[in-house]
Amino acid sequence: MAAVLIWISLLLGLLAGLGHTEAPQTTLHPLVGRVFVHTLDRENFLHLPELVVSVPATVPITYHAHLQGHPDLPRWLRYAQRSPHQPGFLYGTATPADRGRQVIEVTAYNRDSFDTTRQRLVLLIGDPEGPLLPYQAEFLVRSHDVEEVLPSTPAGRFLTALGGLWEPGELQLLNITSALDRGGRVPLPIEGRKEGVYIKVGSSSPFSTCLKMVASPDSQARCAQGQPPLLSCYDTLAPHFRVDWCNVLLVRRDPGSRGGDGPPLHHPREYRGAATDGS
């Protein structure tokens, strides 16, 4: 009987030790007011030490992420994954109230075997350095879904193309939001139809004449009549990015307002679902 009790004690101790195994940890440094994107790549999960057998590249993988000690992610952070055969993304823009340390726990699920692996992301959220970005513009890009602009390559391509419409100066991504999160509708199941994505950009340089013309009352009057707005320069974003020029928001931020926005220079029309956009 004593021997049995000893074995039970050893087994319970072993199980307790396994339950407290620390997941691998990665430290990241999001910045307040700047878009943060972290790719949940299968390569980062399928080669962890606890996986004895290698997992084929064709195995479907999904993820679940939450703030440590809470069932959901913090309000500023979103999760997106188009399919189990594609990477997942954690993305969003931290606010001044989010400064400090946040720990995100991520679990990857093998959809064939239901095996799981875990990681911890330690987010040390701080303030950005460099010049202020008082000139901010938000564009509705109808030709893309949010997952298609989260990777660094297409995001960088968008900034480069937008630079042809703005005064010289560094452009920075401030936020990326799916149109579905802003009242958009799921498009009809027709090839080429996209959900749309809002991309917000900031600069220390004033808006160009071209952008201000898009925001002019004359342009908005044309939009109200179903006509394209006035565009005084060549659309360097086309054809790779199809921007809805009637849904451009320009805002001049007041540096003395501690992050508050001044009145928008242009009030865009109410979102029109991508499924009804025939342009």
Side-chain angles (χ1 to χ4, degrees), residues 78-180:
R78 296 182 181 275
Y79 164 75
Q81 183 183 20
R82 181 58 53 175
S83 80
H85 295 282
Q86 295 176 323
F89 296 95
L90 291 174
Y91 69 101
T93 301
T95 69
D98 298 308
R99 289 188 188 97
R101 183 177 184 270
Q102 295 182 355
V103 178
I104 306 300
E105 297 180 334
V106 184
T107 302
Y109 295 87
N110 181 326
R111 306 312 300 181
D112 284 347
S113 66
F114 300 103
D115 290 337
T116 62
T117 55
R118 292 176 173 81
Q119 284 190 353
R120 294 201 321 161
L121 305 176
V122 179
L123 307 185
L124 303 180
I125 305 171
D127 292 318
E129 298 179 352
L132 299 176
L133 307 176
Y135 298 94
Q136 300 182 2
E138 186 176 65
F139 303 87
L140 172 57
V141 181
R142 293 191 178 275
S143 56
H144 288 66
D145 294 327
V146 65
E147 296 89 350
E148 296 175 314
V149 296
L150 290 175
S152 59
T153 299
R157 188 180 299 125
F158 181 86
L159 289 181
T160 300
L162 182 59
L165 303 178
W166 209 312
E167 298 293 336
E170 183 181 2
L171 301 178
Q172 295 195 33
L173 287 173
L174 303 183
N175 202 2
I176 297 176
T177 308
S178 170
L180 298 183

Side-chain angles (χ1 to χ4, degrees), residues 3-246:
V4 173
L5 293 176
I6 292 174
W7 278 109
I8 291 177
S9 299
L10 291 174
L11 180 59
L12 291 175
L14 177 61
L15 292 175
L18 291 175
H20 289 85
T21 300
E22 286 291 331
Q25 181 170 296
T26 300
T27 300
L28 303 170
H29 296 83
L31 298 176
V32 171
R34 304 289 188 271
V35 69
F36 165 79
V37 180
H38 179 69
T39 303
L40 301 176
D41 195 330
R42 59 190 297 119
E43 296 299 322
N44 295 332
F45 284 86
L46 301 186
H47 294 89
L48 297 178
E50 61 263 32
L51 293 178
V52 180
V53 181
S54 61
V55 180
T58 56
V59 170
I61 303 294
T62 57
Y63 306 90
H64 175 72
H66 63 93
L67 180 66
Q68 188 179 51
H70 300 267
D72 302 311
L73 288 168
R75 293 182 60 182
W76 69 273
L77 198 58
R78 296 182 181 275
Y79 164 75
Q81 183 183 20
R82 181 58 53 175
S83 80
H85 295 282
Q86 295 176 323
F89 296 95
L90 291 174
Y91 69 101
T93 301
T95 69
D98 298 308
R99 289 188 188 97
R101 183 177 184 270
Q102 295 182 355
V103 178
I104 306 300
E105 297 180 334
V106 184
T107 302
Y109 295 87
N110 181 326
R111 306 312 300 181
D112 284 347
S113 66
F114 300 103
D115 290 337
T116 62
T117 55
R118 292 176 173 81
Q119 284 190 353
R120 294 201 321 161
L121 305 176
V122 179
L123 307 185
L124 303 180
I125 305 171
D127 292 318
E129 298 179 352
L132 299 176
L133 307 176
Y135 298 94
Q136 300 182 2
E138 186 176 65
F139 303 87
L140 172 57
V141 181
R142 293 191 178 275
S143 56
H144 288 66
D145 294 327
V146 65
E147 296 89 350
E148 296 175 314
V149 296
L150 290 175
S152 59
T153 299
R157 188 180 299 125
F158 181 86
L159 289 181
T160 300
L162 182 59
L165 303 178
W166 209 312
E167 298 293 336
E170 183 181 2
L171 301 178
Q172 295 195 33
L173 287 173
L174 303 183
N175 202 2
I176 297 176
T177 308
S178 170
L180 298 183
D181 296 327
R182 299 277 291 272
R185 290 172 288 174
V186 177
L188 295 173
I190 301 175
E191 184 177 358
R193 295 286 185 176
K194 299 292 184 176
E195 296 163 359
V197 58
Y198 286 91
I199 301 179
K200 188 175 183 180
V201 176
S203 176
S204 58
S205 299
F207 300 118
S208 65
T209 301
C210 173
L211 290 179
K212 288 189 288 187
M213 180 167 286
V214 171
S216 69
D218 290 341
S219 287
Q220 294 316 296
R222 291 172 59 89
C223 287
Q225 297 173 4
Q227 301 176 5
L230 300 173
L231 195 63
S232 64
C233 54
Y234 177 70
D235 184 0
T236 57
L237 290 161
H240 300 293
F241 299 95
R242 184 163 58 88
V243 172
D244 183 346
W245 289 107
C246 285

